[in-house]
């Protein structure tokens, strides 16, 4: 599913996600918090992954950058790729 909407604070969120429920809202909230609190892509990624591991269960992965491609295997309904501003964010969970 692709979606374009205002992410608040002037951030435009464009997404491709196979998750459409509560988890989607949780991930977007964590991502907005991370971008607001950190400038380093590493720290943004670390924040999102840590929050997801603590709130859901371990084995989450998060990639943050401005120019990358991703191809991965993941647990169904956990893949999310979206932009906040010019930062691309990919989040997905693996079974182990």
């Amino acid at each position: 599913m692709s979606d374009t909407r205002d992410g608040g604070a002037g951030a435009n969120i464009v997404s491709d996600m196979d998750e459409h429920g509560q988890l989607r809202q949780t991930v977007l909230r964590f991502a907005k918090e991370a971008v607001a609190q950190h400038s380093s892509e590493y720290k943004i990624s670390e924040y999102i992954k840590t929050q997801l591991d603590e709130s859901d269960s371990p084995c989450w992965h998060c990639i943050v950058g401005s120019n990358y491609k991703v191809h991965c295997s993941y647990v169904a309904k956990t893949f999310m790729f979206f932009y906040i501003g010019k930062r691309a964010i990919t989040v997905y969970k693996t079974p182990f």
Side-chain angles (χ1 to χ4, degrees):
M1 176 191 158
S2 291
D3 185 13
T4 304
R5 63 182 69 193
D6 182 11
N12 189 32
I13 296 177
V14 178
S15 63
D16 186 11
M17 304 180 181
D18 88 334
E19 166 53 41
H20 309 289
Q22 180 60 41
L23 181 59
R24 174 185 176 167
Q25 298 307 316
T26 301
V27 169
L28 292 175
R29 180 172 47 86
F30 289 154
K32 289 176 197 176
E33 290 171 2
V35 168
Q37 294 175 21
H38 304 285
S39 59
S40 159
E41 291 172 346
Y42 174 81
K43 287 293 190 182
I44 292 168
S45 178
E46 179 182 49
Y47 180 89
I48 295 167
K49 184 215 178 336
T50 301
Q51 294 298 316
L52 286 168
D53 282 349
E54 290 175 1
S55 71
D56 185 57
S57 62
C59 297
W60 282 95
H61 304 273
C62 182
I63 303 164
V64 178
S66 56
N67 187 18
Y68 67 91
K69 311 313 184 258
V70 65
H71 182 82
C72 60
S73 296
Y74 56 89
V75 174
K77 301 291 184 188
T78 67
F79 179 83
M80 294 169 239
F81 174 84
F82 55 96
Y83 285 88
I84 295 184
K86 294 186 180 199
R87 284 193 175 103
I89 300 173
T90 302
V91 175
Y92 61 95
K93 185 176 183 177
T94 58
F96 47 85

